[in-house]
Amino acid sequence: RMPDEGWTITGNKAASIPASYESSSRGLLNHYVHGADDTIHTHLTAGDDQSLWYFQAPSSFLGHHGIAYGGTLDFVLSSFHGDFSADKLNTGVGSSDLHLVVLTCDKCDTNRGVTIAFPLKKTKAFTGTTAQYSLSLKESAGWVKDPKNSLAKWAAPSKCDFIELLSGLSSVKILGDFTSWYESVALDTVQIKNTKAQVPICAQGTPDASKCSC
């Protein structure tokens, strides 16, 4: 369950629109947001939809979350309609895999910005049925860093990369566009959780981890 706190949909025809909020319950869904595809841009050879839409988190998920290092990002996904057959699923095109979650810190790397994402292939596939996800917030959990070069592969971030990003989150996005055609997907129970402090001493020189030496 989550409140109606300002989730948006990005990656469709409009740059950003409010996600639809539903105050009823349906299985594991209880007061949730949902969105749907409204534009398709099919890759000529791969068949993937290249116009991917995402749920974008509101301001309460942004800013300083460095203390979450070592915890988890949890959420529930479900679908109302769409063809989730194996041959209809998006897989990613070029050097970039399909990313389930994308985290961005605009001020990181001396204001050059850093993007770190979690490839869908590193966790269970989403097939349209209700699924719970819990992604470890550690650099070794399968996350990859944007090399800012379309010819280069996304590689694992360093410990300092990851802690600094969590300490200055400017965007949190969760994938809604899993198929190459139109679909409707719901999102619920998004939480950044940590039961104990795990930020290493080498990253505690400044609150934003900008002087991390790990």
Side-chain angles (χ1 to χ4, degrees):
R1 176 178 180 143
M2 59 185 185
D4 184 7
E5 56 185 351
W7 284 83
T8 57
I9 302 296
T10 62
N12 271 329
K13 289 180 181 177
S16 177
I17 61 171
S20 300
Y21 182 74
E22 179 58 59
S23 58
S24 63
S25 62
R26 172 181 171 178
L28 289 177
L29 301 176
N30 182 12
H31 292 70
Y32 55 92
V33 294
H34 58 95
D37 219 330
D38 70 3
T39 185
I40 302 292
H41 181 201
T42 305
H43 190 274
L44 291 177
T45 56
D48 275 34
D49 180 5
Q50 297 180 90
S51 297
L52 299 177
W53 66 270
Y54 281 82
F55 295 98
Q56 182 140 358
S59 59
S60 58
F61 286 86
L62 310 182
H64 185 29
H65 289 278
I67 194 66
Y69 178 75
T72 58
L73 172 61
D74 299 345
F75 54 92
V76 174
L77 288 171
S78 191
S79 177
F80 299 143
H81 71 80
D83 185 351
F84 289 83
S85 303
D87 61 334
K88 296 296 192 299
L89 296 177
N90 290 323
T91 58
V93 176
S95 62
S96 175
D97 292 313
L98 186 67
H99 295 141
L100 177 61
V101 173
V102 180
L103 307 177
T104 302
C105 170
D106 291 337
K107 70 176 184 179
C108 290
D109 192 18
T110 320
N111 294 318
R112 287 187 286 268
V114 169
T115 296
I116 293 175
F118 196 92
L120 179 59
K121 69 180 183 181
K122 295 289 187 179
T123 186
K124 60 186 175 185
F126 179 60
T127 58
T129 57
T130 302
Q132 295 176 287
Y133 290 88
S134 183
L135 308 183
S136 172
L137 293 174
K138 295 193 79 169
E139 72 285 345
S140 57
W143 297 87
V144 289
K145 180 182 176 182
D146 185 355
K148 301 181 182 178
N149 181 339
S150 61
L151 299 179
K153 289 190 174 183
W154 294 50
S158 68
K159 187 186 296 287
C160 285
D161 284 335
F162 205 80
I163 295 172
E164 184 180 359
L165 175 129
L166 289 176
S167 299
L169 284 171
S170 53
S171 174
V172 175
K173 298 195 299 184
I174 298 174
L175 184 67
D177 199 338
F178 290 88
T179 77
S180 58
W181 201 236
Y182 296 96
E183 73 281 288
S184 176
V185 172
L187 173 70
D188 197 6
T189 323
V190 183
Q191 301 178 78
I192 296 176
K193 296 171 58 179
N194 198 358
T195 58
K196 61 180 181 179
Q198 298 185 54
V199 179
I201 297 297
C202 51
Q204 295 183 23
T206 57
D208 62 357
S210 59
K211 293 185 178 180
C212 178
S213 59
C214 301

